[in-house]
Amino acid sequence: MTIKISVPLDTAQIKRLKAGDEVLLSGTIYTARDQAHKKLVEIIRSKKRLPFEMRGAVVYYCGPTRTPRGRVIGSCGPTTASRMDAFTPALLIRGLKGIIGKGRRSLSVVKALKEQGGVYFLAYAGCGALITRYVKKARVIAFKELGPEAVRSLEVEDFPLIVAVDARGNSIYG
Amino acid sequence: MVRIITSDKIRETVRDLCIKANVRLRPDVLAALKNAYRIEADKRAKRILRAILDNAAIARKESLAVCQDTGLPFVMLGIGQEARITGDLTRAVNKGVEQGYRRGYFRESIVRDPLMRGASGYSPAVIHTEIIRGNKVKIAVLPKGFGSENKSQSRMFNPTAGIDEIKKFVVESVITAGPDACPPYVVGVGIGGTADYASFLAKKALLRSIFRPASRVPAGKAGGRPTGHIKNLEHDLLRRINGLNIGPMGLGGRSTCLGVNIETSPTHIAGLPVAVNISCHALRSARASI
Ligand code: SF4
């Protein structure tokens, strides 16, 4: 059965999700990958203002291609999540609730997801053209200078995901 | 007979190959994916393979990049010894890459300084040249995504190492990549040469169609050996890797690997270099001869 969820992710929605569940996500999510994570964590450390509200937010590890003329977004699949492992706990402590990427996470990320009540989802890996179907709006909101690594807000509708690590710390990878 | 080939012609060819490679999944890879879809028994694995096939169809139809990681282009030039190239060849290749990537709205994934990083762009590509017979220039472009490039490995074995040790190393490289590099994989293996050359061969192996047999082992004093043992090694590795139950996205299933391509080269009596270059299911390349 496919479960529909929407952003912001509240405790009730999060509690229902179990590793292996297939979900359809709707709402506004934020792209951030390597360099943006480095910056976000620096902002948190220096107690400055984050470019988006972290409480209840969903971050998508994605660096899209350029946007072809007449389209909302270019190819936009997930990138390897483990490269963000070192930065993730700091964002979860600040209220991040959902993460979308591909591949395994470190034990410390799984632990932080459990402690902070967050969920790690997988998007269909290597399917960036297909995923454009679920993105209705896209806009760069921070770190424009990072090009493909800039933070974008994406409005998604029924974005198909698989729960990889649930808020109890159970992982699809065992 | 000497033929003149302008660097402009090379630029245009590289440009078109970059677009073709990134937008159209290679026919052999597509056929292997369809086959994997047909025989996959695991339900979720089958659904993921369906999504991968749908993705390829959408990319082709709508001229979108198959994957947002449009890679670091690996460009192989086979230059006929009787071809005379006018203009600046390296510049022409990089210009072609830039123009193709811009025209295709691909991603700027290349940082000029590996340590200082900074803003990313479309070039330079990694360019290899080989001198070949004839008066043509053969060009192959393989845009390699880094999710899978990051899982490359190489090891210098003792010359007395058995074939089982090599098999173990290749299989373990795939286990290490696990779910992270977008399985089902195509595994390129380079055996022989030197440390650097084996790594080059592992990448070059990915250019060959999954269904085409390995190139012949070059004839040496020993009279050259038939490629039968390499073919057997490829088949055996493929079977073993597909028994790992990694599956599409690493969520289980028998479709872990679409093909194993091995390239070999003569080597030194004291060594046995082996390199593995793993490609994700989005194995993209295109070639032309001018
Ligand atoms: S590993 Fe391949 S399919 Fe996966 S994101 Fe990278 S380039 Fe795309």
Side-chain angles (χ1 to χ4, degrees):
Chain A
M1 199 194 67
T2 316
I3 305 166
K4 287 208 175 204
I5 55 172
S6 55
V7 199
L9 288 182
D10 56 33
T11 324
Q13 293 189 87
I14 289 168
K15 273 194 173 156
R16 275 174 66 202
L17 302 175
K18 291 192 298 298
D21 282 351
E22 307 213 354
V23 308
L24 297 174
L25 174 76
S26 297
T28 302
I29 62 177
Y30 300 96
T31 66
R33 46 175 290 155
D34 309 66
Q35 301 301 333
H37 269 75
K38 208 170 159 185
K39 286 189 184 255
L40 290 172
V41 169
E42 274 162 22
I43 292 175
I44 292 174
R45 287 224 179 94
S46 57
K47 299 198 163 57
K48 294 212 181 87
R49 213 181 127 86
L50 284 163
F52 59 90
E53 176 56 60
M54 200 58 81
R55 300 227 160 269
V58 175
V59 160
Y60 181 24
Y61 298 154
C62 172
T65 61
R66 280 176 174 238
T67 309
R69 205 168 311 168
R71 298 193 73 105
V72 169
I73 196 165
S75 199
C76 56
T79 194
T80 311
S82 57
R83 294 198 315 271
M84 267 54 79
D85 281 350
F87 306 106
T88 302
L91 301 190
L92 287 165
I93 289 168
R94 276 298 297 267
L96 176 70
K97 287 297 174 199
I99 300 164
I100 306 167
K102 69 172 170 95
R104 294 163 292 198
R105 304 312 304 260
S106 68
L107 283 177
S108 64
V109 169
V110 174
K111 190 165 155 265
L113 285 165
K114 196 172 164 184
E115 281 169 7
Q116 307 298 329
V119 183
Y120 167 54
F121 303 94
L122 303 175
Y124 285 109
C127 296
L130 173 70
I131 294 173
T132 59
R133 290 275 193 275
Y134 313 109
V135 181
K136 304 300 163 188
K137 276 185 195 159
R139 189 166 61 90
V140 172
I141 62 152
F143 316 142
K144 190 166 183 286
E145 69 283 3
L146 295 181
E149 299 203 53
V151 171
R152 289 165 172 80
S153 72
L154 307 185
E155 210 176 293
V156 298
E157 212 175 278
D158 291 338
F159 183 8
L161 306 171
I162 301 168
V163 178
V165 181
D166 63 29
R168 282 170 219 88
N170 297 317
S171 168
I172 199 169
Y173 297 120
Chain B
M1 204 185 71
V2 173
R3 244 178 96 235
I4 306 275
I5 298 172
T6 64
S7 52
D8 253 358
K9 179 77 188 152
I10 289 179
R11 174 182 53 75
E12 284 165 16
T13 308
V14 169
R15 178 193 67 200
D16 296 348
L17 290 175
C18 285
I19 297 176
K20 187 176 170 199
N22 273 298
V23 166
R24 295 180 178 205
L25 208 53
R26 228 166 65 182
D28 60 311
V29 178
L30 202 57
L33 280 166
K34 282 183 181 156
N35 191 44
Y37 175 75
R38 201 170 44 79
I39 61 181
E40 180 58 71
D42 183 283
K43 271 197 185 147
R44 183 164 55 199
K46 215 175 167 83
R47 272 205 299 285
I48 298 167
L49 289 167
R50 180 76 262 160
I52 292 171
L53 289 169
D54 287 348
N55 182 68
I58 291 171
R60 188 188 177 115
K61 205 163 87 216
E62 302 180 16
S63 297
L64 282 170
V66 167
C67 179
Q68 74 288 340
D69 185 354
T70 47
L72 198 163
F74 170 86
V75 180
M76 275 282 304
L77 298 172
I79 301 178
Q81 59 194 13
E82 290 170 77
R84 160 102 177 77
I85 297 163
T86 60
D88 187 329
L89 176 61
T90 305
R91 192 158 174 271
V93 170
N94 284 322
K95 271 270 163 278
V97 167
E98 282 168 25
Q99 289 174 355
Y101 271 60
R102 186 159 297 121
R103 211 176 261 196
Y105 294 94
F106 300 150
R107 195 175 78 181
E108 300 107 318
S109 309
I110 299 166
V111 285
R112 293 231 154 214
D113 187 317
L115 296 178
M116 302 308 287
R117 316 301 293 186
S120 56
Y122 286 139
S123 66
V126 167
I127 306 170
H128 282 275
T129 49
E130 274 178 355
I131 304 299
I132 57 174
R133 263 184 242 158
N135 59 10
K136 292 196 166 154
V137 172
K138 291 187 175 169
I139 307 177
V141 176
L142 185 144
K144 187 72 194 317
F146 255 56
S148 56
E149 185 70 5
N150 280 339
K151 304 297 175 186
S152 309
Q153 298 213 26
S154 69
R155 187 176 295 171
M156 305 302 277
F157 284 88
N158 280 327
T160 49
I163 202 115
D164 281 337
E165 284 174 68
I166 293 171
K167 283 184 192 169
K168 196 164 159 248
F169 171 60
V170 176
V171 172
E172 273 169 7
S173 302
V174 175
I175 294 172
T176 306
D180 297 346
C182 299
Y185 298 131
V186 177
V187 180
V189 184
I191 303 177
T194 48
D196 55 319
Y197 198 62
S199 294
F200 165 73
L201 288 177
K203 174 69 68 65
K204 190 182 171 195
L206 294 175
L207 279 173
R208 172 160 49 93
S209 160
I210 301 169
F211 304 112
R212 237 188 90 205
S215 348
R216 276 184 73 84
V217 175
K221 208 171 162 195
R225 304 250 319 262
T227 50
H229 65 303
I230 298 298
K231 204 169 147 199
N232 291 342
L233 184 55
E234 289 180 344
H235 284 178
D236 189 45
L237 282 168
L238 180 63
R239 196 178 45 78
R240 285 183 196 216
I241 294 168
N242 277 328
L244 295 173
N245 196 35
I246 293 175
M249 277 172 76
L251 300 180
R254 73 168 302 286
S255 320
T256 301
C257 186
L258 302 172
V260 176
N261 283 1
I262 300 175
E263 290 292 326
T264 59
S265 167
T267 190
H268 191 277
I269 50 169
L272 175 45
V274 179
V276 178
N277 195 299
I278 292 177
S279 171
C280 48
H281 60 76
L283 170 53
R284 296 148 284 176
S285 72
R287 57 171 85 234
S289 178
I290 53 174

